Amino acid sequence: MDKKESNVDKKKSDVNKKKADVKFIVGMVILVAVMAVMCGSFWKVVSMQAAKDKEDEARQEQEAIRAICVEAGDGLKEQVFVDMTTKTVFKADIPSEGIYNRNGKLVQGDVLENGDMVKIYGDSVMTRSIPAQYPGVTKMQRMGRATLEEAQPYQQIVDDLMASTKVVTE
């Protein structure tokens, strides 16, 4: 009888071990499924953020002002910009981080010269002054340099504006 009880105990032990193994396997399958769902959700959020960033970048690129840097004034020259699309004359400070070149590389300590063509990024809010001021500049990128012939019409716009403001102030 002891042998019979021993066999029964062994069979019960084997059944309990199989039940434990099945529970372990089921637990691991559930854990893997939960991890897969979490990873999928994470990558979905990452891809949505990347798409949003691309949209923001495209919007900023579209809203960027394409301007030419022109010197204004008779004795004491100051730099102003002329929007190449709307022909609006405005002042803007170069961002403290510096100016980017046409390849998007930051060039610290760079300065703009008369005739430099730039893209100006910012909040698109200008003051109503003469000349207008663009205080919300976040990034400035040099796109190239205008020839004397290309810069001349913009220089004329600035000269005409400065002459008209002299008449008003005198």
Side-chain angles (χ1 to χ4, degrees):
M1 195 148 163
D2 284 333
K3 199 174 189 185
K4 215 176 189 183
E5 284 180 15
S6 172
N7 282 342
V8 170
D9 287 341
K10 189 176 180 185
K11 285 183 183 180
K12 283 184 181 178
S13 172
D14 288 344
V15 169
N16 286 340
K17 187 176 181 183
K18 285 182 182 179
K19 284 182 181 178
D21 287 347
V22 168
K23 287 180 182 178
F24 176 76
I25 291 171
V26 169
M28 291 305 285
V29 168
I30 291 172
L31 180 64
V32 167
V34 167
M35 293 298 286
V37 168
M38 288 175 56
C39 287
S41 297
F42 170 76
W43 287 111
K44 182 178 179 182
V45 168
V46 167
S47 68
M48 287 173 33
Q49 184 63 40
K52 184 179 180 255
D53 290 347
K54 277 188 175 183
E55 287 174 11
D56 287 346
E57 190 175 299
R59 181 186 49 77
Q60 287 176 350
E61 190 65 33
Q62 187 177 13
E63 291 176 357
I65 297 172
R66 284 145 183 78
I68 188 165
C69 180
V70 179
E71 290 181 346
D74 292 329
L76 200 58
K77 300 282 185 184
E78 63 178 321
Q79 288 183 334
V80 295
F81 297 92
V82 180
D83 185 321
M84 296 171 78
T85 305
T86 64
K87 311 297 188 253
T88 302
V89 178
F90 63 96
K91 290 182 182 181
D93 290 331
I94 296 173
S96 58
E97 68 179 347
I99 302 169
Y100 290 83
N101 65 14
R102 72 171 38 166
N103 298 326
K105 184 178 178 190
L106 183 63
V107 182
Q108 292 192 352
D110 199 4
V111 294
L112 293 175
E113 296 177 6
N114 197 25
D116 282 343
M117 295 183 294
V118 294
K119 268 196 219 174
I120 302 174
Y121 301 84
D123 60 10
S124 301
V125 177
M126 285 205 198
T127 62
R128 291 183 178 217
S129 58
I130 299 177
Q133 295 180 25
Y134 191 4
V137 174
T138 57
K139 178 181 172 184
M140 202 173 282
Q141 182 176 10
R142 178 182 282 117
M143 300 309 297
R145 184 174 202 95
T147 64
L148 206 50
E149 294 81 27
E150 292 172 324
Q152 185 56 38
Y154 299 103
Q155 184 68 54
Q156 191 61 49
I157 292 170
V158 170
D159 291 344
D160 291 347
L161 178 70
M162 293 305 181
S164 69
T165 56
K166 272 187 184 178
V167 170
V168 171
T169 58
E170 290 179 350

